[in-house]
Amino acid sequence: MAKPLILVSNDDGITAPGIRTLVEVAKKIGEVVVVAPDGPQSGMGHAITIGNTLRLDRSIAFDDLDIVAYECSGTPADCVKLAKHHVLKDRKPDLVVSGINHGSNSSISVLYSGTMSAAIEAAIEGLPSIGFSLCDYGHEADFSHTREFVEQIIRQALQHRIPENTSLNVNIPKKSSEPIKGIKICRQAHAKWQEEFDERLDPRNRKYYWMTGNFVNFDKGEDTDEWALVNNYVSIVPCQYDMTAHHAIAMLNEGWEF
Amino acid sequence: MAKPLILVSNDDGITAPGIRTLVEVAKKIGEVVVVAPDGPQSGMGHAITIGNTLRLDRSIAFDDLDIVAYECSGTPADCVKLAKHHVLKDRKPDLVVSGINHGSNSSISVLYSGTMSAAIEAAIEGLPSIGFSLCDYGHEADFSHTREFVEQIIRQALQHRIPENTSLNVNIPKKSSEPIKGIKICRQAHAKWQEEFDERLDPRNRKYYWMTGNFVNFDKGEDTDEWALVNNYVSIVPCQYDMTAHHAIAMLNEGWEF
């Protein structure tokens, strides 16, 4: 049987440690092709490049692993589009994986996440996809404990298939002295970032701002990704790109007058 | 009774004709404050500025209408965050409106849309919100026929309230000789952009790419935004920011082995 073809992307850029871990694990399972941003694209949400040109060049980032890789000047969603319609024009990946992100993409962060936008773009393209994130923002983050979970989830996804039009948002707890308890299928917790803006003066006395924020979880449910992560489980949320609030359609049809 | 406070943003930038139309209509109904990008931010999806500073300056763009306006160096989502937590720190807007976008944001485009990301960011912040788009990309687009629908929808939203944790994605057909038939509450059509990449050589003989694409609607339903727009109705899709594919949770729990 032919090896499955696995496309890898991310949002931290092609030289980030997280994508190297993901590529190494994916290589144990299938043939790997990498198309990833040439620099950091964190917080890019589902941005695409429409009024500007894109560069796409062969990268030497994974030559040591004998893996074909491309670096792209665009966003994570651009990378997946270029991979599907240009780099892999005549082949269909069996799976698209994105990450491993340096930092959590649980609950509301899925909307801001470049890692998940690559995965969701793949789902829109009809390709099974998974975004992986490690709940550790540190530059020295330890990815070693993620390998077994990443491998297990990729193998399950290839064996059982991911439900149509969905993408999996996988978050893995930070490495600690406690072993991870297992994997939980979850819903997205109802939470938000509570922002504050730090106002400063530049050397010319003009104001500028740094956005800072604290994560606030409003959700008491024990079936959420936040609950799973706090309790040292890996969380998997199946995500869809249909954003319709279906329950609200009837409310609007009944209550509003047009 | 005090006038409602209406916050206005967009993604085409503070000097675009679409936001001017929206501000003029909103001013008939309430007190208006504008916080909008200082330049075009189309296709920015739900991007936010996390590794960089933000500028926020008073703008003269709406001085002729006697309206307080700010221009921001960030994305549409940044604008709403800055408005909520800084500009309007001590006041709560009764409604947030974004647009009027130059071009459709129907069906799958909601994910790529900066206009809708401003509206959805407002919903995350607990503020009722609406994104307006005109299905006309042209620089000379005629917004005149949008006014009555924008006014009607804003008034209904203030009167009946928008369901919690949702934001309305309103698309208005391009001006034509046919009158618009009315307003329909819809679901997001299952559709995608079929991209192609136009490969060119720069003056130094290095390759670069332009993304081009055709919109493909896979959805035969008559309850979708695409159906409404093709049939010359204004479409309203209530959108939620919970991206969980709830139906897929049971499928994964039953089928997968962890």
Side-chain angles (χ1 to χ4, degrees), chain A residues 81 121 125 192 195 238 245, chain B residues 81 112 125 192 195 238 245:
Chain A
K81 286 178 186 289
E121 186 60 41
E125 293 288 354
K192 62 168 272 202
E195 272 88 13
Chain B
K81 285 178 186 290
Y112 307 107
E125 292 288 355
K192 62 168 271 199
E195 273 86 14

Side-chain angles (χ1 to χ4, degrees), chain B:
Chain B
M1 202 180 117
K3 275 186 164 187
L5 176 60
I6 303 177
L7 170 67
V8 180
S9 193
N10 78 339
D11 78 345
D12 291 315
I14 198 161
T15 58
I19 193 171
R20 177 154 280 266
T21 304
L22 185 53
V23 165
E24 285 170 3
V25 173
K27 194 182 181 235
K28 289 173 66 178
I29 301 167
E31 179 194 343
V32 175
V33 172
V34 178
V35 182
D38 58 13
Q41 292 273 345
S42 291
M44 283 306 282
H46 213 95
I48 50 171
T49 302
I50 46 181
N52 225 319
T53 58
L54 288 166
R55 295 286 186 175
L56 179 76
D57 294 297
R58 272 283 282 121
S59 164
I60 59 165
F62 296 102
D63 278 6
D64 60 319
L65 299 173
D66 210 19
I67 282 171
V68 177
Y70 295 85
E71 55 189 44
C72 170
S73 60
T75 65
D78 290 332
C79 289
V80 171
K81 285 178 186 290
L82 266 164
K84 170 91 194 307
H85 297 291
H86 185 79
V87 177
L88 298 172
K89 203 168 183 174
D90 305 314
R91 304 178 67 190
K92 189 177 173 182
D94 297 287
L95 187 67
V96 180
V97 292
S98 175
I100 301 170
N101 191 61
H102 294 229
S104 167
N105 278 317
S106 59
S107 69
I108 197 70
S109 300
V110 69
L111 288 176
Y112 307 107
S113 163
T115 302
M116 279 308 295
S117 79
I120 288 168
E121 185 60 39
I124 294 170
E125 292 288 355
L127 305 173
S129 66
I130 313 171
F132 291 99
S133 303
L134 173 63
C135 299
D136 188 345
Y137 290 93
H139 268 292
E140 304 292 312
D142 185 346
F143 286 85
S144 60
H145 66 300
T146 66
R147 290 177 185 263
E148 65 168 305
F149 297 103
V150 171
E151 181 172 347
Q152 191 183 357
I153 292 166
I154 289 178
R155 288 193 189 278
Q156 292 276 322
L158 288 167
Q159 191 185 336
H160 297 295
R161 303 208 157 276
I162 293 168
E164 258 191 284
N165 307 324
T166 67
S167 175
L168 304 185
N169 182 16
V170 176
N171 282 271
I172 301 169
K174 186 174 173 169
K175 176 130 185 171
S176 73
S177 53
E178 296 293 309
I180 288 175
K181 288 182 195 150
I183 297 173
K184 285 220 183 274
I185 313 293
C186 308
R187 64 174 171 85
Q188 176 184 324
H190 181 53
K192 62 168 271 199
W193 288 91
Q194 182 68 40
E195 273 86 14
E196 284 176 29
F197 288 90
D198 185 356
E199 185 179 295
R200 302 190 182 184
L201 288 177
D202 73 11
R204 288 169 184 167
N205 256 4
R206 239 188 98 199
K207 285 180 190 167
Y208 69 98
Y209 300 86
W210 285 105
M211 189 190 295
T212 63
N214 293 309
F215 184 74
V216 189
N217 184 7
F218 304 113
D219 203 321
K220 305 276 183 250
E222 298 193 351
D223 54 347
T224 70
D225 49 1
E226 290 309 318
W227 187 93
L229 292 165
V230 165
N231 288 278
N232 218 25
Y233 288 93
V234 172
S235 66
I236 302 182
V237 176
C239 294
Q240 62 187 18
Y241 51 84
D242 177 5
M243 297 188 72
T244 311
H246 289 276
H247 65 281
I249 291 178
M251 292 171 67
L252 292 171
N253 271 324
E254 281 160 27
W256 290 38
E257 299 132 34
F258 290 126

